Each structure stands twice: as C-alpha cells, then as structure tokens.
Amino acid sequence: MLNIYKKIILFLLLTFALIVFILFLTPDKFLYSLSKKNTEFINLKSEIYNRIGFDINYSNEINVQRKFESNSKEIIIFHKFYNGLIKRNNSATLTGYLGSNKMSNDPPFIFFANGHSFRLEGKINDKGLYEKLDITKVKNNLSDIIDTEFFFQKIPKDRHGIKDVVVSNKGEIFLVHTDMNKNENCTFLSVLKAPKPKMEINFKQIFKTECINLNSGQKHQQAAHMTGGRMVYDEKKNKIYLSVGMLNNYLFPQDVNNSYGKILEINLSDILKTQKKEKNFRGKIIAMGIRNPQGLSICDQNIFFSSHGPVDGDELNHFFISDQQIPNFGWPIASYGKHYDESYRINPPSYAPLYKSHKDYGFKEPLIHYTPSIAPSKVETEKSNTLGCKDKINLWMATMGYKNTPYQKSIIEYKIINENNEPKIVQKRVYNINGRVRDIANTENFLWFFDETNGQLGYLVK
C-alpha cells in the first residue's frame, strides 16, 4: 500500500515538473494566442519565474536594429532584449517605463510594468551615438511593498502596474504604481523612493492616495489604467507633483474632498510631520477637473499635462504653479470628446453632460485637443533659449493608439512661446515611430523612448 502512495506522489511530482518544463520552454506569445481572455497559463509561468528568480527571456546586451530619419531627426531603435509578454494594453506586447538623469546623456533605467528593473550602460561612439547597450537586471524590493498580485502578473485582469519612473540628479529613483489593499476591495496610487542604487534598489513608500472602493465607480470595476500616475520631482523645492486620474468615477474630478482627477503638490520636507497630523494626508490640489492625465511636466512656473478623453477629445493642457485659483479643466462637465456608451450620447447623465465649450461653463480650455484621439502619454519639456521657460519652451509628447491615424504611435514636438502670460504653439513636428510610445525620457542630447507595441527601446537625436 505504501508503495502505491509513493508511486502516486512520484507521478504527481513528475507531472508537475513536466508542466513547469513545458511552460518554461513555451513562448509567451504562443500561450497568449491559445486564449486571449484566459491568461492563467501565462500568469502561472510568470509566478514560477518570479519565485525562482530566473527568466530565460532576457538578453544581457542589445545592438541597433535600424536607423531612420523622420522630419530631419535621426531615430535609432535597438533590438528587443526581452522576448516575453508583459502588457498593460491589448495592443501592447511589452509595457516599459524609463527613468533618466536629465543632466546627463546616460541611458535610462527601464522598469517593466510588473516591476522588473534594468540598468542600461554603454559608450557613445565617435559619431556621438549609442550603438550597443549592456543590460543588467537589478533586484528590487517591490514584492515586499506591493500587495496585489495583479501588479506582478504579465497580463492581469485589472491593469495594475508601474505608472512612472523618475531619476533625480543625485541618482535617487522615484516610482509611481497602483496597488490594492490586502482584501483587494479598494485601489490607490502610491509613490516610492529609493536612494541611488549600488547592487539593489530598496524602495520605501513616501505617499499614497486614499484607497477607493471600485464599486463606487461607473459601469465596471477594472480601473487601474484610469489612475494617471505621472510625477515630477522639483529638487530645489524638494516637492513632488503627481497627476491622479478619475479611477472610473465621474463624480471625483469636481470634488475637492478627494485626490482623484487632480494634480497634486506634495512637499517632501514636511511630509512626515504632516502625515502624523493628518491621518489621510492627500497633498495640495493645484488643478482639478481632469480625466486620466498620463503625462506631466514642469518648466519653471509652467505645468503641462496630457489627458485621455473618452471617445476623442484627448487634451494637452497648461497652467501656472503660481495661479491664484485652482484651475478647473472641466471634466466631466465639459469635454471635446463623447461618451463610450451610445445611450449616454443621446441622453447624457446630469453629472457628465460633456459640453464642448469649457470657457462658457467657467472652465479652462485645453491648450490643444485632439479628434480623433491620439492616446497621449508622457510629456517632457525643456527651455528653448537662455531666457529659460518664460520665453520659449520645447515640449515633447508621446502618443499611443492602435490605428495609423495622424499623430498616433508617434512623438510630437511643439515649439511654444509665452505671449502675455499665455502659451502659444508656433511650430509642430511629428516623428512617426510606428509603435505605441508608452514612455519618453529626456537627456541632454537624446530623447529616449519605449515602444510597447514592439517591445523596443530607442532614442531620437535632438
């Protein structure tokens, strides 16, 4: 009898080992093609990799795959260095975020949406270009901080993950991510900070928004992609600026009693003592009435942010940090887009009429709005001359989308001047990447980008 039990146990162990071996060798794309709606196999494979700390999909160096010109700018794209799937959009294969020191020309850090982190290093050749990059996977402690398993999965049911990576001039790394409480009945946005890494990246949480029960939202409860989550760090003032999306709740953006649908200012110098006084510390609201702001950048007193509309009506917006009143950008009362739900278009709810004019209803008009949608993402700015950002500004904006309509899957460059304290776009150039540009990172001579459609890193020579 004992021998039978031993044989059964041995059979089960061998069967499990065979399943693991098959999963180990089966490409992610094939597993995903078996059932796009059912991702248990690919997420099981991901969990096994995470537990054993090994993944055969990575290479430790990449070379240039192709070079081309777009609007007189040279664009360089590297081969893929990860052959698996880690996606936060149906049109993506690999969702990655970049963090760079803006004062240097060093290659950026790369974080995949599920927390895998990499240091990139290389040498500039005699033509002033990077043509080969060495890649080192860097261990981090995100698994000790983040509760929801959705974050670590390759293709989660709800699109939790990293939302932004910022590297300070001192080499500190800030990371913005979504999370859920341990009971997984509410969602929040969190900001982490790590000292300049040597061997490992050791994050600590420095801020989080209030945890929101998604049952209070409209239509559906998967809303992690509606959190915004872009961040700017002002090193001189020791402040962070954080964009927070509406979390699929139409009532939040016009309500000053919550953090959602807002731009927040958080003073790190006194955050600890403020949090002790205020149990639910939320930072200072400096802009509101915003849907899903996935781009945020500051140039002196100028704040620019991009925001996704519903169907059409994507926006690039501007305001000044010094504005006396909190600028209100109108969502969901005013928008140049239209509701996803056809019935809402015919008979819109009272809380979301989506009036076209913003100004007529007391709201701030967008600097520019886009129909059809372009799916705007990261925004980067820099001064255009020695006068700083008071006079002329260069602005770069990444776009995603899934079609080949104008301005999607591109990087857009705007030349902006300030006339009578109002920004005015005087020049526009579009650099077609032919892939969803999830993130960009500005350095002295290069604008790095990550194409999540093809899972590739590249850069534009400025």
Side-chain angles (χ1 to χ4, degrees):
M1 193 72 176
L2 189 61
N3 287 333
I4 294 174
Y5 287 141
K6 286 182 178 179
K7 288 179 180 180
I8 291 172
I9 292 171
L10 181 62
F11 174 77
L12 292 174
L13 288 172
L14 289 173
T15 302
F16 177 76
L18 181 62
I19 291 171
V20 171
F21 182 71
I22 292 171
L23 284 173
F24 195 73
L25 295 180
T26 304
D28 286 357
K29 288 184 178 180
F30 179 75
L31 288 173
Y32 184 61
S33 68
L34 293 176
S35 176
K36 293 187 178 181
K37 292 184 179 179
N38 191 338
T39 58
E40 276 82 359
F41 283 122
I42 197 167
N43 286 329
L44 174 62
K45 180 180 177 180
S46 177
E47 185 176 349
I48 292 170
Y49 279 163
N50 289 338
R51 289 186 183 279
I52 65 176
F54 181 68
D55 195 334
I56 62 171
N57 288 305
Y58 299 107
S59 56
N60 56 17
E61 67 175 37
I62 46 175
N63 296 290
V64 171
Q65 183 190 55
R66 61 191 179 104
K67 302 178 184 178
F68 61 96
E69 277 199 5
S70 179
N71 250 325
S72 301
K73 296 284 189 184
E74 187 172 14
I75 295 173
I76 287 89
I77 295 180
F78 291 91
H79 285 278
K80 294 178 68 171
F81 72 91
Y82 181 78
N83 292 316
L85 295 177
I86 300 173
K87 51 192 289 173
R88 295 301 184 265
N89 184 277
N90 287 335
S91 299
T93 60
L94 185 62
T95 300
Y97 293 86
L98 309 177
S100 65
N101 184 333
K102 298 180 187 297
M103 305 302 290
S104 74
N105 274 322
D106 294 339
F109 276 87
I110 294 183
F111 283 75
F112 291 157
N114 69 343
H116 295 180
S117 48
F118 305 87
R119 179 186 285 111
L120 273 59
E121 296 174 301
K123 293 183 179 180
I124 296 176
N125 64 17
D126 54 5
K127 295 179 181 178
L129 303 174
Y130 285 104
E131 296 202 336
K132 177 186 173 184
L133 294 173
D134 296 319
I135 301 164
T136 305
K137 188 173 183 182
V138 183
K139 186 178 179 181
N140 62 57
N141 64 333
L142 292 178
S143 61
D144 298 329
I145 297 173
I146 296 169
D147 284 324
T148 179
E149 284 300 316
F150 289 144
F151 178 94
F152 301 101
Q153 292 174 357
K154 292 191 172 189
I155 310 174
K157 181 176 66 173
D158 197 1
R159 288 180 265 176
H160 283 276
I162 289 172
K163 299 299 175 183
D164 204 6
V165 179
V166 175
V167 178
S168 74
N169 293 335
K170 297 177 183 177
E172 304 155 307
I173 299 178
F174 294 83
L175 186 142
V176 185
H177 69 93
T178 56
D179 201 357
M180 302 181 80
N181 65 346
K182 290 184 178 179
N183 296 322
E184 297 209 334
N185 59 10
C186 70
T187 295
F188 60 93
L189 199 62
S190 169
V191 181
L192 312 178
K193 182 182 178 183
K196 183 177 180 179
K198 294 180 180 178
M199 299 297 291
E200 298 182 7
I201 305 174
N202 292 305
F203 288 108
K204 288 185 179 179
Q205 186 182 78
I206 58 172
F207 178 81
K208 70 174 182 177
T209 59
E210 61 272 34
C211 202
I212 299 297
N213 189 327
L214 295 183
N215 288 321
S216 62
Q218 279 77 21
K219 293 294 182 185
H220 60 80
Q221 296 176 22
Q222 279 77 48
H225 64 291
M226 296 286 289
T227 52
R230 291 296 185 175
M231 196 201 93
V232 174
Y233 176 47
D234 186 326
E235 298 193 42
K236 291 181 180 178
K237 297 178 181 178
N238 198 26
K239 292 181 178 181
I240 61 174
Y241 297 85
L242 181 68
S243 71
V244 187
M246 66 181 266
L247 204 61
N248 202 40
N249 190 306
Y250 284 85
L251 303 181
F252 285 167
Q254 294 297 326
D255 182 357
V256 295
N257 294 309
N258 66 76
S259 304
Y260 294 88
K262 316 291 193 306
I263 307 293
L264 305 178
E265 178 186 273
I266 300 137
N267 191 332
L268 297 184
S269 298
D270 58 11
I271 191 171
L272 290 177
K273 63 181 181 182
T274 306
Q275 284 177 328
K276 288 178 182 178
K277 293 179 182 178
E278 302 177 37
K279 187 176 180 181
N280 297 315
F281 173 67
R282 296 172 182 169
K284 177 184 176 183
I285 296 172
I286 59 173
M288 61 186 293
I290 305 164
R291 187 175 181 271
N292 189 14
Q294 292 192 8
L296 179 69
S297 187
I298 297 178
C299 199
D300 290 347
Q301 288 291 308
N302 297 271
I303 294 188
F304 295 89
F305 69 91
S306 65
S307 185
H308 289 255
V311 177
D312 303 330
D314 294 341
E315 297 177 354
L316 176 63
N317 291 294
H318 169 273
F319 67 99
F320 292 103
I321 297 177
S322 57
D323 284 343
Q324 295 300 306
Q325 291 185 322
I326 298 173
N328 190 327
F329 291 89
W331 178 263
I333 298 169
S335 173
Y336 287 100
K338 51 185 180 285
H339 285 289
Y340 281 101
D341 192 318
E342 292 279 355
S343 64
Y344 278 13
R345 296 182 195 177
I346 298 169
N347 186 22
S350 59
Y351 53 79
L354 303 195
Y355 300 126
K356 298 307 174 197
S357 174
H358 293 52
K359 186 177 180 181
D360 290 351
Y361 294 89
F363 302 118
K364 189 171 177 62
E365 292 281 350
L367 179 61
I368 186 171
H369 60 89
Y370 305 88
T371 296
S373 294
I374 61 169
S377 189
K378 183 72 173 286
V379 174
E380 291 274 21
T381 52
E382 62 186 5
K383 62 184 181 181
S384 187
N385 57 30
T386 55
L387 296 177
C389 302
K390 295 180 181 179
D391 183 29
K392 295 180 181 180
I393 298 169
N394 287 346
L395 183 145
W396 310 83
M397 183 169 69
T399 71
M400 298 181 291
Y402 62 96
K403 300 178 181 177
N404 291 316
T405 54
Y407 313 137
Q408 289 194 12
K409 302 180 184 176
S410 302
I411 296 170
I412 304 175
E413 179 187 14
Y414 291 112
K415 302 289 186 182
I416 299 171
I417 62 171
N418 274 321
E419 282 189 352
N420 301 319
N421 233 22
E422 286 292 332
K424 180 180 178 182
I425 295 172
V426 294
Q427 187 180 33
K428 174 179 67 178
R429 289 181 177 175
V430 180
Y431 308 103
N432 184 20
I433 305 301
N434 199 31
R436 290 168 54 88
V437 185
R438 170 61 68 174
D439 205 15
I440 54 177
N442 196 22
T443 60
E444 192 174 1
N445 295 328
F446 309 120
L447 186 78
W448 296 86
F449 62 86
F450 197 85
D451 164 10
E452 71 172 6
T453 302
N454 302 296
Q456 291 176 285
L457 174 73
Y459 64 91
L460 179 151
V461 183
K462 296 193 295 184

